[in-house]
Amino acid sequence: MTQNPNYYNLHNVSHQHLSDHLSELVENTLNDLVNSKCISIEDEMDVSALNLGMIAAYYNISYVTVEIYTLSLKERTKLRGLLEVVSSSAEFETIPIRRHEDVLLRHEDVLLRRLYDRLPVKLEASAAEFESPHFKTFLLLQAHFSRIALPPDLVADQKVVLEKVLTFAQRFNAWLNALGAMDLAQMCVQVVWERESPLKQISHFEPDVVTRCTDAGVESVYDVMEMEDDKRNGLLQMTPAQMQDVAAFVNSYPTLDVSHELVKGEYTAGAPILLNVVLAKDEDDEDPSESDQTVIAPFFPIKKLANWWLVVGEPKTKQLLVIKKVTVNKTMKVKLEFTLPKGRHEVKLYVICDSYVGADHDITIGELDVAEGEESSDEDDSDEESDKMEE
């Protein structure tokens, strides 16, 4: 600061000026973190990290991004809203907006405008700022889902975006619209829109192949898996090399058996309820290695291992009760603990793959009668505990 005072907006480098400037910097920073609900300050001295702050630190996410998510995400936020919110993350400020001095070369904003015309999700005219890195991120995500070929510069930017988005998808898990965030993660890895057929993620399944399969009643990867060889070959009409690629994807596609047991007892408000879940991969995988866990995703530029989210929630109230992320090698037993307020609650278990579309499980646990008891004094305890479990 004494060597380069202008950089810090200092007009004097005396000891008093430096001390005043640093004190103001610390105070403003702490106030920003308090306003974003990342820390709390008691008695003007004691600083404690809150749940959002711990999440931001654990995932190396800016407190500004955490604040954007907290203010913008609602229980019923849909895919378009998720795309807008995640594109607004502070981390994307560094996505470059390139301008060429040579007028004979295309300016990047011209490319982005042409790209925007081809994409399905539009924004209000006032929000379409082609020189904004956040709007560029919004376009690059859509281009990825739509499998649009891009020039090398934009491909490099797109890879940076995708690396960060999978991390941000974790952050959405403080709400039951975490299910939407998990869809977003699957879309990033397998490069399909949520409305499209899950068959599109299989290698060489072009639109005509998907249409033939759908017309024949083949609608999922499991349907392709269970077909007789002759019937499959006749339906797909592919070369032997293409069929090998199809077989590689289908064989890697996860087949997960899920069983659960709710520990019986007197359920009271605020008291822990225990759900035991057993996850078992196909018995044919006798000795799965890390290579067996690697996701087959030809359009995703980053090597990734397949993981699973276990989510317990109450759909009627959109309340997430507990969430945990695991990697299943063969058989795994998982204990999920959650609390409920007094009343009757319809509870469901969601087992969701973070890398493949259509492999998820949606299981009704049943109605739970919860009697009056000593409820938690902090309404955010369940969310905090959920995120801690995931970490």
Side-chain angles (χ1 to χ4, degrees):
M1 293 173 71
T2 58
Q3 298 301 313
N4 193 6
N6 289 335
Y7 181 81
Y8 298 95
N9 296 318
L10 284 172
H11 304 293
N12 192 304
V13 292
S14 69
H15 176 79
Q16 186 62 46
H17 276 85
L18 291 175
S19 178
D20 291 344
H21 181 79
L22 287 172
S23 296
E24 183 180 2
L25 177 63
V26 170
E27 184 175 347
N28 290 341
T29 301
L30 291 174
N31 286 336
D32 286 345
L33 293 173
V34 168
N35 292 334
S36 64
K37 297 182 173 58
C38 287
I39 67 170
S40 66
I41 302 177
E42 296 181 3
D43 301 327
E44 298 185 356
M45 283 293 293
D46 297 327
V47 180
S48 301
L50 298 179
N51 192 43
L52 293 180
M54 289 187 285
I55 293 171
Y58 183 84
Y59 290 113
N60 194 24
I61 297 174
S62 165
Y63 80 92
V64 177
T65 299
V66 170
E67 186 173 18
I68 290 172
Y69 291 175
T70 303
L71 295 175
S72 303
L73 285 175
K74 308 301 179 185
E75 290 179 351
R76 301 184 184 277
T77 301
K78 302 299 183 183
L79 176 62
R80 172 177 170 167
L82 291 177
L83 288 174
E84 289 187 62
V85 172
V86 77
S87 299
S88 300
S89 302
E91 284 76 3
F92 294 131
E93 289 283 355
T94 57
I95 298 296
I97 301 294
R98 301 179 184 85
R99 299 174 181 84
H100 298 290
E101 294 181 1
D102 190 338
V103 295
L104 297 178
L105 294 175
R106 286 183 186 170
H107 289 257
E108 188 173 85
D109 65 341
V110 175
L111 291 175
L112 295 179
R113 289 176 189 276
R114 292 181 178 178
L115 178 61
Y116 185 51
D117 291 339
R118 300 174 60 188
L119 298 175
V121 181
K122 308 295 185 182
L123 297 180
E124 295 180 4
S126 59
E129 301 178 10
F130 288 90
E131 294 192 357
S132 163
H134 300 294
F135 185 68
K136 180 177 177 179
T137 298
F138 182 73
L139 301 185
L140 292 178
L141 276 175
Q142 289 197 67
H144 178 65
F145 303 146
S146 301
R147 301 186 180 183
I148 295 175
L150 299 174
D153 286 349
L154 292 183
V155 169
D157 296 339
Q158 189 180 60
K159 182 178 179 181
V160 173
V161 168
L162 293 172
E163 288 175 334
K164 293 182 181 298
V165 165
L166 286 184
T167 298
F168 297 152
Q170 313 285 343
R171 176 61 197 97
F172 288 123
N173 293 339
W175 296 267
L176 192 52
N177 71 10
L179 302 183
M182 294 171 192
D183 288 342
L184 182 62
Q186 293 176 351
M187 289 165 54
C188 284
V189 177
Q190 291 301 333
V191 198
V192 296
W193 286 95
E194 63 173 353
R195 64 179 179 274
E196 294 181 309
S197 168
L199 295 177
K200 188 179 177 181
Q201 63 193 315
I202 307 177
S203 303
H204 310 299
F205 268 58
E206 301 300 333
D208 59 326
V209 179
V210 173
T211 299
R212 282 203 307 273
C213 289
T214 303
D215 291 343
V218 177
E219 299 181 345
S220 71
V221 180
Y222 296 119
D223 292 337
V224 176
M225 192 183 300
E226 294 169 0
M227 293 178 69
E228 296 293 335
D229 291 346
D230 292 344
K231 187 175 181 180
R232 185 190 300 116
N233 293 337
L235 181 63
L236 301 186
Q237 302 174 20
M238 294 183 182
T239 66
Q242 290 174 327
M243 289 301 295
Q244 286 184 353
D245 292 339
V246 171
F249 181 91
V250 171
N251 292 334
S252 75
Y253 195 75
T255 302
L256 194 69
D257 293 325
V258 181
S259 59
H260 69 279
E261 179 185 17
L262 190 67
V263 176
K264 303 297 182 182
E266 293 288 335
Y267 305 133
T268 57
I273 299 172
L274 185 62
L275 177 67
N276 293 320
V277 181
V278 178
L279 309 173
K281 296 193 71 174
D282 193 319
E283 293 182 357
D284 291 340
D285 299 333
E286 295 182 359
D287 186 22
S289 62
E290 180 175 299
S291 60
D292 297 324
Q293 305 282 340
T294 302
V295 176
I296 294 182
F299 293 93
F300 190 63
I302 307 158
K303 178 182 176 181
K304 188 180 182 311
L305 300 182
N307 301 296
W308 294 84
W309 278 298
L310 278 69
V311 181
V312 177
E314 188 175 6
K316 184 177 180 180
T317 61
K318 296 288 183 180
Q319 179 66 44
L320 183 150
L321 302 173
V322 64
I323 182 169
K324 190 168 187 177
K325 192 173 185 181
V326 299
T327 301
V328 183
N329 292 320
K330 190 174 182 182
T331 300
M332 171 177 283
K333 297 180 180 179
V334 184
K335 292 184 178 181
L336 301 176
E337 188 176 289
F338 57 95
T339 60
L340 288 167
K342 178 185 176 182
R344 294 178 65 86
H345 302 272
E346 181 74 33
V347 179
K348 299 190 77 171
L349 169 66
Y350 304 87
V351 182
I352 299 176
C353 185
D354 71 346
S355 305
Y356 291 99
V357 178
D360 307 333
H361 296 257
D362 184 337
I363 302 167
T364 298
I365 296 175
E367 280 196 355
L368 304 183
D369 285 317
V370 179
E372 187 174 357
E374 183 179 351
E375 296 192 27
S376 170
S377 60
D378 186 347
E379 63 182 2
D380 292 326
D381 280 352
S382 60
D383 285 339
E384 180 173 347
E385 191 64 30
S386 298
D387 283 319
K388 286 181 179 178
M389 287 180 67
E390 181 185 359
E391 294 177 11

